[in-house]
Amino acid sequence: MDTERGVLQYMKSVYIQGAQTVVCLCLMTTLVLTVSHAQIAGIPTPIAPMNEPSQEKEPSEESAIAELAAKRAKAETESKAVTTHAASSAPQGGLLEQRALLEQVVRGYDEQIDDHQRLKEAGQRRADTARSSVEWKGFVESPPYSIFFVDQLWDTAFSLRLAVEGLQSQLSLIELRFDRARESLRSADSRVRQASEELESVTDPSQAVRHREQRDLEELRRRAAAVTVAAAEIAKKRVEEELAETHARLTFAERQLEAAEQQVSFGEEDIEKVRKRLSQERQALEGELERTIVEHRAQSQTLQTSVRHEAQLAKQFSAVSFKKNVAEMTRATMAVELKRAQQDNLIVRGDLLRQLLDVVEGERQLWESRFAVARDPDPRRARETYARLAPLFANFRAFRDHLRQQLVATSGRISELDNRLEHASSVEERRQLTSLLQINRQREMVYNRSLQRTDEASRFLERWKSEFKEQRRELPLSARIEDWRQQAWEGVKRGWTFEVFSAEDTIEVEGNKVTGQRSVTLGKIVSALVILVVGYWLCLFLARLLGRLAVTRLGMSAGVANLLRQWSQAFLITVLIVISLVSVKIPLTIFAFLGGAFAIGVGFGAQNLLKNVISGILVLIERPLRVGDLIEVNNVRGRVTTIGLRSSTVRDAKGMETLIPNSSFLEQHLTNWTYPSQHSRFSLRVGAPYASSTQGVIELLTKAAGDHPQILKAPRPQILLEEFGGQARIFSLNYWLEIRLDVDPNEVASDLRFAIEESFTKAGLKVLPAA
């Protein structure tokens, strides 16, 4: 019978699908023929846009709620039947899941009914708001309006903005829930189809029963998923309607606020009311703080007594008696824990009261600044006030974040205690946990109170900031330009007075010397640098002038004058540095700020510098060389052109300038060709053939040396026969030259060689190599 029933159901489904296909084809054919006939007859065919809603009239909210209530009643009846069946039989997984799914369906219908009612109410409120906005022509009170009335309107608008943000977040969550529910419904549809196909293919009656139950369960899952999708859809509509209604209320509130802000009154009476209110609140907080301090002292004494009692019990009990008196020790430990928790509560309350006093003081400063700006709406004054109170914004924000974190922690502690209380076994433990739970709930109340007061102050802070920004937006262009100029100038002044670091210095106050700290600001550093730059060029000019006077007036040599110029330049620059620091009141002790390690590094780095400077002084005193001397040091041979404070310059025969440290003149071998006198001897070797006369060769060489104008006549040139070579006799011509800038020894030697060759050629001799 089951097989026949399955075959019949299959044939029935095939027949229904075929009939639906035929009906669709007929409808399409009729539509095509109708449109074609209309086009032939010239009748325009109306085509509804895709985005327009259906022309069918949607059911009213009452009928929809009634239909949902009927479906809910049916689902509740099915749930009770399943519950009764599950209670009368052994618990099975399928029955439990059916009951859970039916309960989910009932809850889904409840949500839909509730959302339909709320949707209707939101629509009604939206219509009322629109009607009130259209009918509103102004306030009942005559202008100017009180500052408190305007603040109340601003609070309303601010709350509505927060409500809009909350509804937008809720809408995003509902859309996410709707997408997940729709995906679950598609998956459930797929499983139902698969279960139906499996049931149609089963031939065994016993398996058919199991597959039919599975298909019914899948259909119930699909039903639950469909109800969830419908609930999410109506919830989305409800939130969208509430969001639109809140937007309308916000627009109406902003319109009223804009109208009220045009004429605001903030006089002495208003600020006096604020001062009186804040003064009373401050007095109340101070009184509560004093009582808290007294309670904390008493609680501390009680806690110490409990701790001493616990310690005495621990000392009195031995190892055997301790086991017998566990209950008494436990009670003592619990009492200490309770006393400590109560003391912690008092500490927290005292700290929060002190913070609330700061909040009240900050709100007072905001009101005073607001009143001052209202009496004198100068953009500069408002900006200075805003900059002065900017740290107060950060303090309020930090305190509010701290309170929220502590609230989360306290809520977690309360949840933990609730869980422990639920599983507590003994009466003592339950009593202890109940007391701890009460203490933590009191702490939560204290945090909530502080957070509520801080939120009120923060809201007023936001109001003050919005007023400041609104005033700046309403400024004319000329005032904005002037304000920007003042901001730029104030920024320059802040940068000029920015403290880079401070240094210890002795300050004279009313005739008494006091050791204190001096600020080293950016302006002082810049001023000192300007003085240094201008003074540096002045020092260079004075040093050069002093060097010229030393040569022209005092008759000093160029080297001494150059060294005097360099030393005077170093001295003047040192004095300039001291004057520049003192003139801008930068203490000389800033060099101690560099630190010992840096000073040691500078000392090692300046070691060679100091060595060369000292060597320059010794060279000046001993004078082993002078400007113009021909010297040879470190394989460098040339004339000294300058003798500096740290190094000297030598120009070689090629015209290359070589910078030589002054320490090399004292540490290395120094050859000064002109140290004792300007006269120096040079030698030239000449080879003469053996066939020549020795005396004739000597005469030729003597004549060649005597004819040269730069060779000194005294001492006289000297010709020596050095050796007998393999092919010629080797003669040595020794002559003296005066070392001057216009005398080149190499050029003189070349002239002598030309002269010797010419004289030997005239005498019929041949010049041979002197190898």
Side-chain angles (χ1 to χ4, degrees), residues 347-576:
I347 293 174
V348 169
R349 188 168 67 180
D351 293 340
L352 292 180
L353 287 173
R354 294 184 183 91
Q355 293 289 340
L356 288 180
L357 285 172
D358 294 338
V359 169
V360 172
E361 176 61 23
E363 186 173 346
R364 185 194 65 79
Q365 294 179 13
L366 287 173
W367 273 107
E368 296 291 347
S369 302
R370 187 182 184 188
F371 179 70
V373 172
R375 297 294 295 272
D376 183 15
D378 184 14
R380 180 179 179 183
R381 182 187 184 91
R383 188 179 63 255
E384 291 177 352
T385 304
Y386 185 85
R388 179 169 52 85
L389 296 178
L392 190 63
F393 307 156
N395 293 340
F396 277 15
R397 191 179 301 109
F399 182 49
R400 185 175 55 186
D401 294 341
H402 168 72
L403 290 176
R404 289 174 178 172
Q405 292 174 358
Q406 294 300 319
L407 265 177
V408 172
T410 306
S411 299
R413 176 65 174 166
I414 290 174
S415 300
E416 177 192 354
L417 291 174
D418 281 331
N419 189 24
R420 289 173 57 186
L421 182 61
E422 183 179 355
H423 298 86
S425 57
S426 63
V427 177
E428 291 292 336
E429 185 180 2
R430 292 182 63 85
R431 185 181 298 112
Q432 173 77 5
L433 291 174
T434 302
S435 300
L436 288 176
L437 191 60
Q438 184 179 2
I439 291 172
N440 280 273
R441 283 174 177 164
Q442 291 175 357
R443 183 179 300 182
E444 186 180 27
M445 291 175 59
V446 173
Y447 280 129
N448 279 320
R449 171 195 172 189
S450 302
L451 182 60
Q452 182 180 0
R453 183 63 182 88
T454 307
D455 285 339
E456 292 177 1
S458 300
R459 181 173 294 191
F460 174 68
L461 195 64
E462 292 296 330
R463 166 63 173 159
W464 193 86
K465 290 169 63 177
S466 66
E467 280 186 355
F468 172 77
K469 295 178 180 178
E470 186 66 27
Q471 290 175 358
R472 292 187 61 82
R473 282 196 297 268
E474 293 177 356
L475 291 175
L477 181 59
S478 58
R480 290 184 183 181
I481 295 175
E482 179 63 21
D483 188 41
W484 293 337
R485 187 190 66 79
Q486 292 180 357
Q487 287 186 25
W489 177 245
E490 290 175 1
V492 171
K493 290 194 295 185
R494 285 195 300 270
W496 188 262
T497 57
F498 175 74
E499 183 180 87
V500 181
F501 58 92
S502 60
E504 186 176 345
D505 189 23
T506 302
I507 305 173
E508 186 173 349
V509 180
E510 296 181 356
N512 299 322
K513 292 185 177 180
V514 180
T515 302
Q517 297 287 329
R518 280 194 183 272
S519 297
V520 180
T521 62
L522 185 62
K524 290 182 179 181
I525 295 175
V526 173
S527 300
L529 290 177
V530 171
I531 295 174
L532 284 175
V533 170
V534 176
Y536 177 74
W537 293 106
L538 183 61
C539 290
L540 292 182
F541 173 76
L542 293 176
R544 285 195 295 267
L545 180 61
L546 185 60
R548 287 196 299 268
L549 292 176
V551 174
T552 57
R553 299 293 181 86
L554 302 179
M556 293 183 180
S557 62
V560 176
N562 182 49
L563 191 60
L564 179 62
R565 179 187 63 80
Q566 294 184 2
W567 273 101
S568 60
Q569 178 179 328
F571 174 76
L572 290 174
I573 291 176
T574 304
V575 174
L576 174 65

Side-chain angles (χ1 to χ4, degrees), residues 719-733:
I719 293 90
L720 300 177
L721 179 59
E722 287 189 354
E723 60 178 316
F724 294 99
Q727 298 178 357
R729 290 191 292 268
I730 307 302
F731 292 89
S732 175
L733 172 58

Side-chain angles (χ1 to χ4, degrees), residues 6-49:
V7 172
L8 290 174
Q9 290 179 352
Y10 176 75
M11 294 177 64
K12 182 179 179 181
S13 63
V14 171
Y15 174 77
I16 291 173
Q17 292 178 358
Q20 291 176 350
T21 304
V22 171
V23 171
C24 291
L25 290 175
C26 293
L27 290 174
M28 292 176 64
T29 305
T30 304
L31 178 63
V32 170
L33 291 175
T34 303
V35 173
S36 301
H37 177 70
Q39 290 177 350
I40 294 173
I43 302 174
T45 304
I47 300 176

Side-chain angles (χ1 to χ4, degrees), residues 2 40 50 69 98 150 236 299 396 417 471 509 514 523 616 640 676 742:
D2 293 334
I40 294 173
M50 295 180 64
Q98 287 180 13
V150 177
K236 180 180 178 182
Q299 188 66 32
F396 277 15
L417 291 174
Q471 290 175 358
V509 180
V514 180
V640 179
D742 57 342

Side-chain angles (χ1 to χ4, degrees), residues 744-761:
D744 186 1
N746 294 325
E747 184 179 356
V748 173
S750 177
D751 293 341
L752 284 177
R753 292 188 183 96
F754 280 115
I756 292 171
E757 183 183 15
E758 183 179 358
S759 60
F760 271 31
T761 301

Side-chain angles (χ1 to χ4, degrees), residues 631-636 663-672:
I631 63 172
E632 183 176 355
V633 61
N634 288 339
N635 297 324
V636 177
S663 60
S664 299
F665 299 133
L666 302 179
E667 296 175 353
Q668 305 294 332
H669 294 289
L670 173 63
T671 301
N672 192 341

Side-chain angles (χ1 to χ4, degrees), residues 630 637 639 682 735 737 739 743-750:
L630 181 63
R637 182 177 180 178
R639 292 188 177 276
F682 297 89
Y735 56 92
L737 295 177
I739 305 302
V743 176
D744 186 1
N746 294 325
E747 184 179 356
V748 173
S750 177

Side-chain angles (χ1 to χ4, degrees), residues 80 106 124 136 186 190 225 292 426 472 477 583 706 708 754:
K80 291 180 180 179
V106 171
Q124 184 64 37
W136 185 77
R186 282 197 292 264
S190 176
T292 303
S426 63
R472 292 187 61 82
L477 181 59
S583 61
H708 199 284
F754 280 115

